[in-house]
Every structure is written in structure tokens, then in C-alpha cells.
Amino acid sequence: MSSKMASEDIAKLVESLAKTKVGGGELSFKGKSLKLNTAEDAEVVIKEIEEYEGLQALRLEGNTVGVEAAKVIAKALERKPDLKKCYWNDMFTGRLRSEIPPALISLGEALIAAGAQLLELDLSDNAFGPDGVRGFEALLKSSACFTLQELRLNNCGMGIGGGKILADSLTICHKKSSALGKPMTLKVFVAGRNRLENDGATALAEAFKVIGTLEEVHMPQNGINHAGISALAESFSVNPLLRIINLNDNTFTERGAVAMAEALKILRQVEVINFGDCLVRSKGALAIAEAIRDGLHKLKELNLSYCEIKRDAAVAVAEALEDRMELEKLDLNGNCLGEEGCDQVQDILDGFNMAKVLGPLSDDEGDDEDEEEEEDEEEDDDDDEDEE
């Protein structure tokens, strides 16, 4: 490559990076596809960080940052005490898993050294696994996170081990910040697609009980069954500000659904419930319907799709929604209502002047025979005995 071509490439990069300042104290390298392996690779990024007075938010998503590059970026961040929002999702594309913890440790140490007071931390879509949680464990336990309000860790492959480390770190953070008279007030927790399973979810539930300020919990696709769901339900009941609960694609069965319904009876601020693809089944749906009937006047969205709910239970859910004038969306698709059941649900909502809220029922499985339900329940009992 000629020096002229090289200088043209650098000029293009500089021009591209000149558009990184997006106002509100935010510096964004989002989607630049920068491959930052060495200290030299990171020079342009470092320059931007160093020259940004009053840096409050840094977006690094859509790039790939190696260990050496992370060290020098961290050095620049040590002098940025105003940093409050770190959008560091999807920033280790193509990296070995072993590279991620040391990179995160460097960046975390820089935030602590700077005296930063974080409000938001997003490390989603970084496949760091259980060991990766060790990479930001010290950061979570530090004064930099005493002010943390939003933590996003979607699709990181944390597993049970990572979930336990995370739970412990959050508990310690809350304890240390409380000792100073200003407890951490975490509001948003996102950890979908992490294979947390029962043990990881139960550990996090214990942390949630301590925190008590959660407004949104998103934990879809984690392989959690009734034991973990019941633990989460118990923790939700002591987080009275909860507005959004997304546990899509876990396995409630009746026991988990009944436990969750009991928590919903206590909660008064809930606006969005997403229990789609959670095998709530009819008895679980009836318990949830009762919880709705007893409260949840702010409910805007209810997703009970693909849950093996039969006609009578779906009708009970629809009937429970009377006077829920805030409701915008009801999803009962993929259940077992049958044609008559679908019409019945639609008629009930029509009678409430709420016809528009019902989503399509095109994937309805039809009205199953009672025999199948009895067989399912027998299998459930066998499964429960096996687990115990």
C-alpha cells in the first residue's frame, strides 16, 4: 500500500470519527467496525476521548477491542470522572473468550480510578461466559456502581456460575452503598439468553430482595423452571415499583405460574407482563386472571401466548380485563382455544370496547381433548417427583 493511499485511509477514518460527538456529553463509535488490537490501533479513539470535555456517555458497540487496546483506552478514561453511561455491548466480536476478562478489568479499574459514578452499564451481546463476569465483578462492587440504575447483560452466556457471581456482586454493592447512607437504586435489570437456569435465577432473586427498587426485569430464554420462577416471584413481591416483567420462553408450569400470580396480587405498578412461551397452562392462567381481577389497573400489555392454555382459562383471562382501560395489547396466540373459544374471547373484549387490543389468534392449536390434559398433568406429577 502506498503512503498516499494509507494517508487517504487515515483521513477517511478521521472524517468518520469527526461525526462521533452526538451531543449530551456522548461520544459514540457505534457501528464503526473498528478492529482495535494494539495501542496504535486505538490512538484515534483515545484522542477523541481525551479531547472530549465533560464526557458523560461512551458508546463502543459494534467494534472489536483487544486486551492491549483496552488498556490504553482505559488510561484515557482514568481522567473522565463525569462518565455516567457505558454502552459497551457487542464490542468483542471475534475475540477469544480469554481476551475478554482482562480487557474488562482494565476498563473497570479506569472507571474506579476516575471516581466515575455510573448510571448505566450495558455489556450485552458479549459472549464472555461465566469467566467474563469476573472481568467486571470488581467494578460492580466498587463505588463507581453505587449509583447504578440500569444494568444490561443480554446474551452473554453467563450460565449458572456467572449468575451467582453477578448476584453476589450486586448484593455487596448494595450493602457497601447502604453503609454510606445512599443505597444503590437499581431500576432496570436485563439478562436474557444467559442459561441462568434455576440456580442462577434463585441467586439473582436473593439479590433482588436486597435491592428492592427494580422497575424492569427482563430475563427471557434462561431455562428457568418452576423452582427458579417461584424464587423470582418472591423477590418481585418486595420490589413494589416493578412495571415490566419479561420472563418469555422459560418454563413456569402451574406451580411457577401460581407463585407468580401471588406476587402480581401485591404489585400495583405493573404495566407489561410477558409470560409468552412459558407453559403457564390453564391452571396458571386462571391464577393470573384472578391476580388481574384483584388489581393491576395500570396493565398495558399481557402476553400469554404459546402457553397451552385452554378455552375456559383464556375466557377467564379476557373477563378479568374488564375496566383495564390502559390495556393496549393482549396476546393469546398459539394456545388451545378452538374456533369457538377464539370467538368467545373476541366477543368478551368487544363487549368491553377493547376489540383492538387482541392480537391475532392464527396459530391457535384447537380445542384439545380432556384426556390429553389429564395425561399432561400425570406427566407433570412424574416430572415433579423426579426433580424432588
Side-chain angles (χ1 to χ4, degrees), residues 24-85:
E26 181 178 304
L27 179 60
S28 176
F29 299 95
K30 182 179 178 178
K32 300 286 181 188
S33 300
L34 302 174
K35 292 180 174 60
L36 309 177
N37 297 316
T38 64
E40 193 178 358
D41 293 337
E43 276 178 10
V44 182
V45 173
I46 294 161
K47 189 168 184 290
E48 289 277 331
I49 291 171
E50 287 175 343
E51 291 178 358
Y52 202 119
E53 292 295 325
L55 180 65
Q56 292 183 32
L58 178 62
R59 288 191 181 273
L60 292 173
E61 70 232 66
N63 300 289
T64 179
V65 181
V67 177
E68 293 308 310
K71 280 181 184 174
V72 291
I73 291 170
K75 202 74 184 162
L77 290 176
E78 285 177 6
R79 294 181 292 281
K80 298 296 170 184
D82 298 326
L83 191 61
K84 290 176 171 50
K85 300 176 182 181

Side-chain angles (χ1 to χ4, degrees), residues 155-368:
N155 190 31
C156 293
M158 288 190 289
I160 293 169
K164 287 180 175 180
I165 298 165
L166 176 60
D168 182 55
S169 302
L170 289 171
T171 304
I172 289 170
C173 183
H174 191 275
K175 186 178 178 182
K176 287 164 75 174
S177 57
S178 296
L180 295 176
K182 290 186 176 179
M184 175 182 65
T185 56
L186 190 68
K187 295 177 181 179
V188 177
F189 179 83
V190 181
R193 298 180 66 189
N194 270 294
R195 303 194 304 277
L196 294 170
E197 300 180 14
N198 282 340
D199 289 350
T202 302
L204 284 164
E206 289 302 312
F208 295 167
K209 281 186 199 172
V210 172
I211 292 164
T213 54
L214 289 166
E215 296 179 16
E216 295 184 26
V217 175
H218 303 260
M219 295 173 66
Q221 280 186 288
N222 269 299
I224 308 167
N225 69 27
H226 68 81
I229 295 298
S230 298
L232 287 171
E234 193 180 325
S235 74
F236 291 169
S237 66
V238 291
N239 281 268
L241 301 176
L242 261 178
R243 292 183 300 104
I244 299 174
I245 304 173
N246 176 5
L247 294 173
N248 189 284
D249 198 7
N250 289 291
T251 307
F252 282 42
T253 60
E254 181 193 332
R255 289 164 70 176
V258 167
M260 192 59 68
E262 289 303 308
L264 291 173
K265 286 179 182 178
I266 296 166
L267 298 169
R268 288 284 173 265
Q269 306 300 322
V270 175
E271 296 175 9
V272 177
I273 294 171
N274 185 344
F275 298 159
D277 206 11
C278 282
L279 210 61
V280 164
R281 294 204 170 119
S282 293
K283 287 182 181 175
L286 287 168
I288 290 167
E290 186 185 339
I292 294 168
R293 203 164 45 244
D294 292 347
L296 299 183
H297 291 282
K298 296 185 177 182
L299 193 63
K300 291 181 179 176
E301 290 185 26
L302 177 61
N303 184 346
L304 293 174
S305 60
Y306 303 92
C307 279
E308 293 191 6
I309 298 167
K310 297 185 187 299
R311 182 178 68 184
D312 290 350
V315 165
V317 169
E319 288 175 341
L321 294 168
E322 187 176 8
D323 297 329
R324 297 301 177 274
M325 301 326 319
E326 301 284 318
L327 194 72
E328 297 167 3
K329 183 180 176 186
L330 170 64
D331 193 345
L332 290 171
N333 204 8
N335 286 301
C336 310
L337 280 61
E339 193 174 334
E340 195 178 319
C342 290
D343 290 343
Q344 207 173 337
V345 166
Q346 186 70 63
D347 288 346
I348 290 164
L349 293 169
D350 282 348
F352 298 156
N353 290 321
M354 293 166 69
K356 289 181 181 177
V357 305
L358 184 62
L361 296 170
S362 52
D363 286 351
D364 189 74
E365 296 285 339
D367 203 354
D368 286 353

